[in-house]
Amino acid sequence: MTLPTEKRTLLTVITEAAIEQTLLRDLDRLGVRGYTVSDARGRGSRGVRDAAWTGAANIRIEIICPRPQAESVLEHIQKRYYANYAMVAFLMDVEILRSEKF
Amino acid sequence: MDVVVLFFLLGLAAGLARSDLRLPAALYDSLSVFLLLTIGMKGGEGLAKQALLPLLPQLLAVVLLGVLLTLIAFAVLRHLGRLSRADAAATAAHYGSVSVATFAVGVNWLMVRNIEFESQLTIFLAAMEVPAIMVGIVLVRGIGRETDWRALAHETFLGKGVTLLLGGMAIGWIAGPEGLAPIKSLFFDLFKGVLALFLLEMGLIVSHHVSDLRRNGLFLLAFGIAMPLLSGALGLGCGLLLGLSVGGLTLLATLAASASYIAVPAAMRVAVPQANPALSLAIVLGVTFPFNILVGIPLYHRIATQLVGAIP
């Protein structure tokens, strides 16, 4: 059986909960139609981000969209946030159903 | 030493010993909601018994006090501490603003000893939270167009802390002592127990920041103690001008000496991203908060008692 899937790009951003609101406003402005936000914790170059309280909390934002849009969003957040915030962002190819949604 | 402070020390010791004691983040949030509402209602209940208009000049005085503290802290950090402009301004904003947790410990300290204090101290708490944030941002960026003041004002004035404090105050003011009677057993009678649990978590949080202290050098360590002493003195001076009682003086000194560790870091992270948040939090949480609850509050009270005794 072959499902009629299509290729899209998944952009994942792991960053400080402190900038959630600002970042989501940016996404809206860049025309992103949907995203998922979840709480996250981990360790990286900026130390342990263990979410023990709001000051050290991380979030993970996931966006599925066409490749060009994912790249322009990634470019924007790289310019605006990479220098000053704890942030990891990456792209992955994914296969989806219901192509009109993404 | 008050029993609630022992809970703080337990959390601190457990954290430093790397015990796996960890309270759920949701509990910390719930406890802070409880404390903010209770402090707000207590203040509102008292305010219902007095005229509000005469309080306006007092409010202006404490707002100016907050602005003054921010400017002093900035000058010291920038010129004596040689911090970058962004770091100095962000850290100064922490010290110009206030800490609800420190205030709650002060309220508890006075309640345990049956010392009265004026109800408007709760409004002072709410009023002193925000101005320092604005001053801190202006110190870094000037009053430029790049700051989105509307979004910033929305986030700071309608942040969780100010909303719950003012909301609780409104509830207490509207309901009055009789209206509050049905919920008194939850909010007022349990205040000390909830504060104890909250301070256990604070001890754990502080222990995470103590290890950052070594990186910051002796100057900042000294600043973390000297600044609250200076601010506390200015708070006492301001309180004398306003004619507060010994309890009120103690609390205003505590407010002035306390440094914010929730509202200000969150606002600064967004508004002044180039400042290093670990630096400010290490001295605010690692030095100033423990100093105030262990040494500061009893000290401010002793000085307040002598001042009131000396000035008939």
Side-chain angles (χ1 to χ4, degrees):
Chain A
M1 191 185 92
T2 330
L3 277 171
T5 59
E6 284 197 39
K7 286 245 184 335
R8 287 290 185 275
T9 299
L10 166 66
L11 166 61
T12 307
V13 184
I14 302 166
T15 190
E16 302 174 24
I19 55 169
E20 178 173 340
Q21 293 309 320
T22 349
L23 201 53
L24 295 185
R25 269 202 295 272
D26 285 3
L27 293 183
D28 276 340
R29 224 183 30 244
L30 293 167
V32 170
R33 287 158 67 193
Y35 46 76
T36 302
V37 184
S38 39
D39 292 324
R41 55 177 182 271
R43 182 191 178 97
S45 60
R46 296 190 186 237
V48 178
R49 311 267 316 160
D50 59 2
W53 65 303
T54 42
N58 268 6
I59 51 167
R60 177 176 54 217
I61 305 178
E62 287 162 310
I63 305 153
I64 299 174
C65 59
R67 182 89 196 180
Q69 188 179 24
E71 285 182 9
S72 72
V73 172
L74 183 54
E75 198 190 351
H76 167 81
I77 59 174
Q78 179 195 9
K79 268 197 214 129
R80 176 138 182 221
Y81 297 105
Y82 265 30
N84 293 317
Y85 294 100
M87 181 178 275
V88 169
F90 50 88
L91 301 172
M92 271 190 290
D93 286 329
V94 290
E95 289 176 56
I96 50 113
L97 293 168
R98 300 180 297 169
S99 61
E100 72 283 358
K101 243 176 103 73
F102 308 99
Chain B
M1 188 179 292
D2 286 354
V3 64
V4 292
V5 176
L6 293 176
F7 280 80
F8 171 76
L9 294 176
L10 170 62
L12 184 62
L16 289 177
R18 297 178 186 274
S19 145
D20 65 355
L21 170 63
R22 202 183 136 158
L23 303 185
L27 179 67
Y28 174 83
D29 282 341
S30 316
L31 295 176
S32 60
V33 167
F34 178 99
L35 291 178
L36 286 162
L37 274 177
T38 306
I39 291 172
M41 284 192 293
K42 257 188 193 315
E45 185 189 16
L47 287 175
K49 295 176 208 145
Q50 63 188 87
L52 295 184
L53 218 53
L55 293 182
L56 280 179
Q58 298 198 359
L59 220 52
L60 186 68
V62 295
V63 166
L64 288 178
L65 175 65
V67 171
L68 180 69
L69 295 177
T70 316
L71 294 176
I72 294 175
F74 177 75
V76 172
L77 290 166
R78 184 90 176 105
H79 298 295
L80 292 180
R82 307 271 164 91
L83 261 61
S84 75
R85 193 172 186 85
D87 279 335
T91 308
H94 289 69
Y95 280 87
S97 185
V98 291
S99 144
V100 179
T102 314
F103 182 79
V105 176
V107 167
N108 180 69
W109 197 90
L110 294 175
M111 274 167 37
V112 169
R113 289 161 184 78
N114 288 319
I115 302 169
E116 296 283 324
F117 57 88
E118 289 85 351
S119 305
Q120 62 261 40
L121 263 300
T122 317
I123 314 190
F124 293 178
L125 168 67
M128 286 178 80
E129 183 155 41
V130 180
I133 298 177
M134 307 290 171
V135 176
I137 294 170
V138 171
L139 282 173
V140 181
R141 301 202 248 183
I143 307 173
R145 284 168 305 275
E146 45 177 322
T147 311
D148 185 352
W149 288 105
R150 259 189 64 194
L152 192 75
H154 183 265
E155 266 156 44
T156 41
F157 283 108
L158 287 175
K160 184 174 100 176
V162 177
T163 307
L164 284 170
L165 263 182
L166 294 182
M169 238 186 276
I171 291 174
W173 190 72
I174 294 166
E178 285 143 50
L180 288 176
I183 54 169
K184 189 174 166 290
S185 52
L186 173 63
F187 285 100
F188 294 177
D189 299 353
L190 294 184
F191 177 74
K192 289 169 196 163
V194 170
L195 182 63
L197 267 180
F198 182 83
L199 287 176
L200 176 65
E201 173 68 13
M202 281 304 301
L204 287 167
I205 292 173
V206 167
S207 73
H208 298 314
H209 291 273
V210 168
S211 56
D212 285 344
L213 279 178
R214 264 170 296 162
R215 264 179 271 151
N216 288 322
L218 273 177
F219 172 80
L220 286 178
L221 217 72
F223 178 84
I225 292 176
M227 187 65 205
L229 286 174
L230 175 67
S231 319
L234 290 172
L236 286 171
C238 179
L240 282 177
L241 287 176
L242 301 180
L244 297 179
S245 67
V246 171
L249 283 172
T250 308
L251 274 186
L252 186 56
T254 305
L255 274 181
S258 73
S260 165
Y261 66 92
I262 296 179
V264 175
M268 284 299 142
R269 201 67 198 103
V270 175
V272 188
Q274 63 273 38
N276 174 9
L279 179 124
S280 316
L281 279 177
I283 34 174
V284 168
L285 282 170
V287 184
T288 303
F289 179 77
F291 172 78
N292 273 327
I293 67 168
L294 292 169
V295 184
I297 294 168
L299 178 70
Y300 308 141
H301 176 256
R302 191 186 308 163
I303 301 174
T305 316
Q306 285 168 357
L307 283 175
V308 169
I311 304 165

